[in-house]
Amino acid sequence: MPLALAEFNIANPDELRPLLHACLAVPRWGEVVLLGRPYAELSALVGAAESASPLLPGEIAAAIAAHPRIGEKASGSGTGAGWSRSEQSGVDEAAAREFADANIDYETRFGHVYLVCASGRSGEELLADLRSRLDNDPGTELAVAGRELAKIAVLRLQKAVTA
């Protein structure tokens, strides 16, 4: 159930941290969002979330660990798992099979799961993106993954808090 912005503005920070963690598993990011309260409008909240980027390499690595592989449905019943399943809805069974092999190549090269803002994108589009990113060097790829995490966080925050 999304929170109204007015509720978000007055809620106990300890009650909001799990929600913010479900948006992005980076405590610093969540604290930046909390410290900006109260927000006059949703766009100000989104702006604060965006201003907490770029993410640091260690933050990116920790946040990536909280995401399932593209093509694998998130397990569990928590908010983050539900969002993940919804975000990957464009990945059908055929694409999921292709992702299994592509994910192995990606993880072998970079040492972490492929991370992309999948919302509204087809499985074919995501698979092409994964394959093109295999040409990145590890530092560049970590930065790309960080930008994708930030996009996901903002989308999730907009699902979690409404005007």
Side-chain angles (χ1 to χ4, degrees):
M1 198 78 183
L3 280 174
L5 182 60
E7 294 173 290
F8 181 84
N9 281 333
I10 63 171
N12 181 318
D14 290 335
E15 294 173 7
L16 293 176
R17 283 186 182 98
L19 175 68
L20 293 171
H21 191 268
C23 292
L24 180 61
V26 174
R28 179 189 59 80
W29 178 87
E31 292 306 312
V32 168
V33 171
L34 287 172
L35 289 171
R37 296 183 311 157
Y39 296 100
E41 52 193 48
L42 195 56
S43 63
L45 172 61
V46 168
E50 291 172 341
S51 76
S53 293
L55 301 175
L56 304 173
E59 293 172 331
I60 297 168
I64 286 173
H67 283 267
R69 287 177 181 87
I70 296 288
E72 291 181 7
K73 299 302 180 193
S75 60
S77 58
T79 302
W83 284 334
S84 233
R85 285 189 292 273
S86 171
E87 292 158 358
Q88 289 196 43
S89 62
V91 180
D92 62 18
E93 290 301 316
R97 286 189 296 277
E98 287 188 64
F99 264 109
D101 291 334
N103 280 329
I104 290 170
D105 293 341
Y106 182 94
E107 290 173 32
T108 299
R109 173 142 172 73
F110 298 113
H112 58 80
V113 300
Y114 165 69
L115 207 300
V116 67
C117 184
S119 189
R121 298 170 75 182
S122 71
E124 293 79 21
E125 183 181 357
L126 296 172
L127 193 55
D129 181 71
L130 182 156
R131 289 179 175 145
S132 73
R133 286 170 51 185
L134 285 169
D135 292 332
N136 289 340
D137 64 81
T140 298
E141 182 54 27
L142 194 63
V144 170
R147 289 190 297 272
E148 294 296 312
L149 281 164
K151 290 179 199 175
I152 293 166
V154 168
L155 288 175
R156 289 179 173 188
L157 187 61
Q158 290 173 313
K159 292 175 187 176
V161 182
T162 60

